[in-house]
Amino acid sequence: MYLRETRQKRVDGSVLTHLQLAESVWDPDKGQSKINIVYNCGRANDPEVAERLRRLARSILRRCSPEEVVAEDASWKLIEAWPYGDLYVLEQLWRRLGFGEVIAEVLGKRKLGFEVERALFAMVANRACAPCSKLYCYEQWLAEDVHIEGTGGLALHHLYRAMDFLEENKAVLEEALYFRMADLLNLDVELIFYDTTSLHFEVDEEDTGVGEDEEVYGSVAAGHNRYRAPRKRGKAKNGRDDAPQIVVGLAVTRDGFPVRHWVFPGNTVDVSTVEQVKRDLRGWRLTRCVFVGDAGMVSEKNLKSLARGGGKYIVCMPVHPGGEVATQVVNRPGRYQEVAENLRVKEVTVGDGERRRRYVVCHNPQEAQRQRLHREKVLEQLSAELDSLRHQTDNKSHTKRVCELRASGRYGRYLRLTRTGKPAIDRARVKALARLDGKFVVHSNDDTLSAEDMALGYKQLQRVEEAWRTLKSGLKLRPVFHWAPHRIHAHVALTVFALLLERVAEHACGDTWRNIRDDLKQIKLAQLLSPNGTVWQVTEPGKNATKRLKTLEINKPPPLLQVV
């Protein structure tokens, strides 16, 4: 017994489809099978007919489970199954933020011969789900590990061409996405946090070429000669001064959403990047934008640049020996105001009139206790080292060990040489460092901000540090397998876009993307071979996955994606 379809062509050319419950029986007289119509269900497009058939199917399944049907019918086979929930959510967020529309607007009437938007989404999703090289993304991840609609016709060179398109139009894409995101997510863009990090490469030689007008890599980089040769040796923040590197700058909102990023040559000093950042963000409708930067951004030139045109800033001031902050701010007597359990603030003003400078001394008692205990442990170890040196008779090894201690980042700051050239603990230096335990100084040119606002505003700079950790550890920003400048820039852009999608999900769920992704991976996509063709079916979301979808305000994926 089976469900039979009959079609009737009408005079106006339309076709009516009727459903019938039929069975095939053997006629011994004629020696052939014949069809008996058991019941005429009605028109196929009638909602009442569909509901009656669903009730019939449910009643049948109470007597015979789907597993039994599949087991008895060998023509039903499970071909493959893939994790689907995390990719489904990423694609819904991708559409919600308007990536597809923005890419289509930038493309205009250009025809590149492949789906640029699908290629870019595949590479961004790969960063968020299983970061790997573009070659592995194409040969293994897209081919076997996942199923993304619309990527079947992509070739490896399509991914690279999509990266070239992204880098060519990165500034336009970032600005358009920002305006869409600001309206959709109601972003708080009063404070823009900016910081840089270094990203080293596992190569021996740095890139040649320094000027923007100088051709880089000959004909290989044709059309991309405006990019500086990025891989240069510089002061690495991870201690890898021996390897060529690039410097990446990132601007994020108070909630941790990346606004824009920059890629600079590896020998770029942090303080020299601020002017370009301010220039590039001009005209982005950032309401009352207050720039927040770390001590590495502070220079007299940068502060003047930030203040030009009425710009406002909050920066952490470096405490240089003999400088204004060290002599007139940190040790200024005054009463601290409690802001939080682990934060006290004290406002200090230096100078008079228009030239006055406003500082806030921030003190963290818990951090002060940790630094004190750490210093006591280091001094105890250093004392043991110095005692062992007094009993050495080999002057050559003695001198070598003294040089190692003085050059050590752990012990060197506490050492001095006596008049006789012997190493000793510098007690004055230890006392001076003890006065700075748990303290940092914040400076701002915005008089409307209270001392509490300045301290908490700077503390929020940890959002950038969180972004760096996610980019490097979670999204595997490194290692970088590209060598052409424009491909390096595009690789960073793809990773930042993946960070944006993750931050949207984390902000909605109040949890890390790792936990969200693990819950969503419970939803699988299965490819089934049936007597009537291939069926792409999505499993029913579990309890945790359903909760995540509800929090993200995303509908459940349809149970059947395709029947061919």
Side-chain angles (χ1 to χ4, degrees), residues 84-93 549 554-558:
Y84 182 68
D86 50 348
L87 286 171
Y88 171 74
V89 165
L90 288 173
E91 183 152 15
Q92 297 306 308
L93 296 177
L549 292 174
I554 295 176
N555 296 327
K556 293 181 181 180

Side-chain angles (χ1 to χ4, degrees), residues 24-35:
S24 180
V25 297
W26 182 258
D27 188 343
D29 296 334
K30 296 183 178 180
Q32 63 181 16
S33 62
K34 66 177 182 179
I35 297 175

